Amino acid sequence: TQLLEQSPQFLSIQEGENLTVYCNSSSVFSSLQWYRQEPGEGPVLLVTVVTGGEVKKLKRLTFQFGDARKDSSLHITAAQTGDTGLYLCAGAIVGTYKYIFGTGTRLKVLA
Amino acid sequence: KAGVTQTPRYLIKTRGQQVTLSCSPISGHRSVSWYQQTPGQGLQFLFEYFSETQRNKGNFPGRFSGRQFSNSRSEMNVSTLELGDSALYLCASRPGQGGGETQYFGPGTRLLVL
């Protein structure tokens, strides 16, 4: 069974704090995506990482793809209330057409 | 390029009825996947269609079915609706050739079964 485990599942922090969300699997991914979802809406793509060891920055968000392409992390610096939402990692398993999703991290940033 | 579109956005049905949801993928994308999302179960994979053929399937009962047309548009059908089918149904598309592809989501169809 191919799984993509995210941690933590829930996170409640104060505005201005930093946080990191992790996404781990025993599978190797040809690419991995991070999405953010608001209630009642579809997930919106934040970033795609493809190369092992790759680091991408999107304003206050930093995404890292593990060297072995089995794990990834999302780091948010100085969180804002607008960062509140459900964060999902997902990826295409190498050598297959399968695309699997992480369990999700629900982030709440308090003012 | 237009994004993934889903119709309708909202739907209310009663138990026992059937429903058909529609998804138009991004132009050039041949893979369409369907997901069910509920607060308790999270995002659950229903099935994936590629070039009019079901390529992958999740663990849902046979009441859930789908199809894909030659223009890559896809429909999902749920027969004999149950209360537990109330959920946000998401459609996503990608090129479908494998490799480092990115999947893009539509806005979803919120189904309420009464």
Side-chain angles (χ1 to χ4, degrees), chain A residues 30-31 35 37 48 97 99, chain B residues 37 94 99 101-103 105:
Chain A
S30 50
S31 69
Y35 298 85
Q37 186 180 20
T48 293
Y97 295 112
Y99 194 90
Chain B
Q37 189 176 37
R94 57 188 169 120
E101 294 185 347
T102 295
Q103 193 161 240
F105 282 87

Side-chain angles (χ1 to χ4, degrees), chain B residues 49-65:
Chain B
Y49 283 87
F50 176 77
S51 291
E52 302 177 66
T53 301
Q54 189 179 86
R55 185 161 71 174
N56 284 305
K57 188 177 186 304
N59 296 322
F60 276 81
R63 299 186 296 110
F64 292 82
S65 63

